[in-house]
């Protein structure tokens, strides 16, 4: 029995790796998407709006299977039609991270867009008047302030993302959900091992909440606190 628990704990490390890698991808895509939606260039606005609308309207499981199976089949069919012997063997880790990052990039886009809009535009106009470039304005003026507005939504997206990593077990990645299912099937004790996996997810989300609350308190220094 102890071997199964150790195996699930080992899978938990993979779950954390998938979560962090997906968060990095989604954060980058979110910043790019928010910038595009707030730009004055209509093609960029249209592409970003289409991205957030379509991705948020398709179930995560469908996208996961579509990327892992559909993308590989489509690319291999294309190379075959071109007369090439190249065969794409999509890595489950890469597919899982790319899919989750792509999905939650759409949610991060809206989170960052709302945070940027919460900043008074006069501050950015003043920075431009002082001769700052758009990049300098973003790094020195917009980014430090948008963190405070974005953190609540960012926290929610991160918590959902951690739990969504369980989907990678369906494409053969040996995360803790996959290993908990394997242990349950081998021992016919699904309640014990699935409950153990659930407890690990709860630990991860609780630790994340503690860290993000500390960050929120740090970036909220000097601001008026609203009594709820």
């Amino acid at each position: 029995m102890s071997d199964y628990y150790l195996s699930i704990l080992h899978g938990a490390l993979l779950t954390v790796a998938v979560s962090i890698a997906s968060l990095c991808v989604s954060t980058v895509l979110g910043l790019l998407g928010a910038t595009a939606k707030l730009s004055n260039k209509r093609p960029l606005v249209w592409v970003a709006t289409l991205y957030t609308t379509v991705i948020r309207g398709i179930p995560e499981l469908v996208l996961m299977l579509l990327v892992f199976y559909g993308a590989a089949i489509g690319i291999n069919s294309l190379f075959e039609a071109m007369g090439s012997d190249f065969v794409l063997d999509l890595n489950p880790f890469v597919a899982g991270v790319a899919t989750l990052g792509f999905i939650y990039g759409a949610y991060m886009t809206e989170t960052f867009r709302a945070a940027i809009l919460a900043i008074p535009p006069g501050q950015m106009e003043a920075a431009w008047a002082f001769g700052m470039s758009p990049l300098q304005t973003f790094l020195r003026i917009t980014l430090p302030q948008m963190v405070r507005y974005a953190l609540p939504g960012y926290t929610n997206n991160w918590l959902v993302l951690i739990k969504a990593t369980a989907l990678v077990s369906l494409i053969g990645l040996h995360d803790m959900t996959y290993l908990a299912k394997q242990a349950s099937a081998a021992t016919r004790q699904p309640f014990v091992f699935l409950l153990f996996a659930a407890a690990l997810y709860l630990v991860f989300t609780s630790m994340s909440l503690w860290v993000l609350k500390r960050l929120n308190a740090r970036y909220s220094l000097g601001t008026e606190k609203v009594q709820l």
Side-chain angles (χ1 to χ4, degrees), residues 38-180:
L38 294 172
S39 70
N40 296 322
K41 298 180 180 179
R42 295 183 66 86
L44 291 179
V45 176
W46 184 83
V47 170
T49 302
L50 181 65
Y51 165 57
T52 56
T53 302
V54 172
I55 295 303
R56 290 187 298 165
I58 300 177
E60 299 164 356
L61 176 58
V62 174
L63 281 173
M64 182 72 68
L65 297 177
L66 184 63
V67 170
F68 186 69
Y69 295 107
I73 293 174
I75 294 174
N76 288 333
S77 299
L78 178 62
F79 277 106
E80 184 178 354
M82 296 171 59
S84 174
D85 295 330
F86 176 80
V87 177
L88 175 65
D89 186 14
L90 198 58
N91 183 280
F93 181 87
V94 175
V97 168
T99 305
L100 291 174
F102 192 65
I103 292 172
Y104 286 92
Y107 294 96
M108 294 295 188
T109 294
E110 295 301 328
T111 298
F112 294 146
R113 184 180 72 89
I116 293 173
L117 289 174
I119 302 172
Q123 297 190 21
M124 288 172 278
E125 293 171 359
W128 297 331
F130 275 101
M132 289 188 185
S133 66
L135 180 59
Q136 289 176 321
T137 301
F138 177 77
L139 294 176
R140 297 180 182 180
I141 307 297
T142 305
L143 183 61
Q145 295 186 80
M146 68 170 280
V147 170
R148 178 168 63 90
Y149 297 110
L151 267 176
Y154 193 82
T155 299
N156 290 335
N157 291 334
W158 165 242
L159 295 179
V160 177
L161 173 58
I162 294 177
K163 294 178 289 185
T165 56
L167 293 175
V168 300
S169 63
L170 298 175
I171 59 175
L173 198 61
H174 293 188
D175 70 325
M176 64 179 178
T177 300
Y178 179 92
L179 295 171

Side-chain angles (χ1 to χ4, degrees), residues 14-37:
L14 183 58
T15 295
V16 172
V18 172
S19 301
I20 294 175
S22 300
L23 181 67
C24 293
V25 173
S26 64
T27 300
V28 172
L29 290 178
L31 289 172
L32 293 175
T35 303
K37 293 195 77 169

